């Protein structure tokens, strides 16, 4: 599960910085290729979640479970992001400011989740380095 969340964080950055098949930053045109993204297994689902989040009317009152999941992913990204001012992921800076100002509660379960996702990310990076390169 932590590896999947780590991949979702990488995928979120991929979508918000480079853009992908149907979703991307305002300054990047989505690709004309409508085939699913082969970079991340979570990309297609995350793009659909982002589209829903942008258009949902129920999220205003906190009544949408899919939007709550998107808020959690954005908050998780902010918790593990090491970019201070140049992060392209929406709300990253705002979440960081809330934490600095003490407006966000320090939930021990949340901190444990962040630590485990960071550990999974580090393990995944090590495994990627150890894979033999094709000749």
């Amino acid at each position: 599960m932590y590896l999947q969340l780590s991949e979702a964080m990488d995928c979120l950055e991929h979508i918000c910085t480079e853009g992908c098949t149907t979703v991307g930053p305002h300054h990047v045109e989505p690709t004309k290729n409508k085939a699913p993204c082969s970079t991340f297994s979570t990309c297609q689902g995350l793009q659909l979640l982002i589209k829903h989040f942008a258009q949902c009317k129920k999220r205003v009152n906190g009544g949408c479970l899919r939007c709550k999941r998107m808020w959690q992913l954005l908050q998780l990204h902010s918790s593990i992001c090491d970019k201070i001012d140049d992060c392209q992921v929406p709300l990253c800076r705002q979440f960081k400011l809330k934490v600095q100002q003490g407006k966000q509660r320090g939930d021990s379960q949340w901190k444990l989740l962040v630590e485990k996702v960071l550990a999974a990310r580090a393990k995944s990076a090590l495994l990627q380095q150890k894979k033999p390169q094709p000749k």
Side-chain angles (χ1 to χ4, degrees), residues 24-90:
H26 62 84
H27 66 281
V28 176
E29 285 291 320
T31 63
K32 302 293 183 223
N33 179 9
K34 296 300 177 195
C37 176
S38 60
T39 309
F40 298 100
S41 63
T42 56
C43 199
Q44 189 68 22
L46 194 49
Q47 288 182 73
L48 291 172
L49 185 61
I50 290 169
K51 281 182 163 182
H52 168 85
F53 185 73
Q55 299 170 346
C56 183
K57 304 294 184 230
K58 289 193 290 185
R59 80 178 148 104
V60 175
N61 297 324
C64 179
L65 292 176
R66 292 173 73 192
C67 290
K68 285 180 184 179
R69 181 70 62 218
M70 189 67 213
W71 276 110
Q72 290 170 333
L73 289 173
L74 291 170
Q75 187 176 8
L76 180 60
H77 163 81
S78 174
S79 296
I80 67 172
C81 180
D82 57 358
K83 299 173 188 165
I84 303 298
D85 291 321
D86 61 341
C87 183
Q88 300 271 331
V89 176

Side-chain angles (χ1 to χ4, degrees), residues 9-20 23-28 46 50 70 74 77 87-91:
M9 296 300 97
D10 292 339
C11 183
L12 185 60
E13 285 188 49
H14 152 73
I15 291 169
C16 294
T17 57
E18 304 162 20
C20 200
V23 178
H26 62 84
H27 66 281
V28 176
L46 194 49
I50 290 169
M70 189 67 213
L74 291 170
H77 163 81
C87 183
Q88 300 271 331
V89 176
L91 303 173

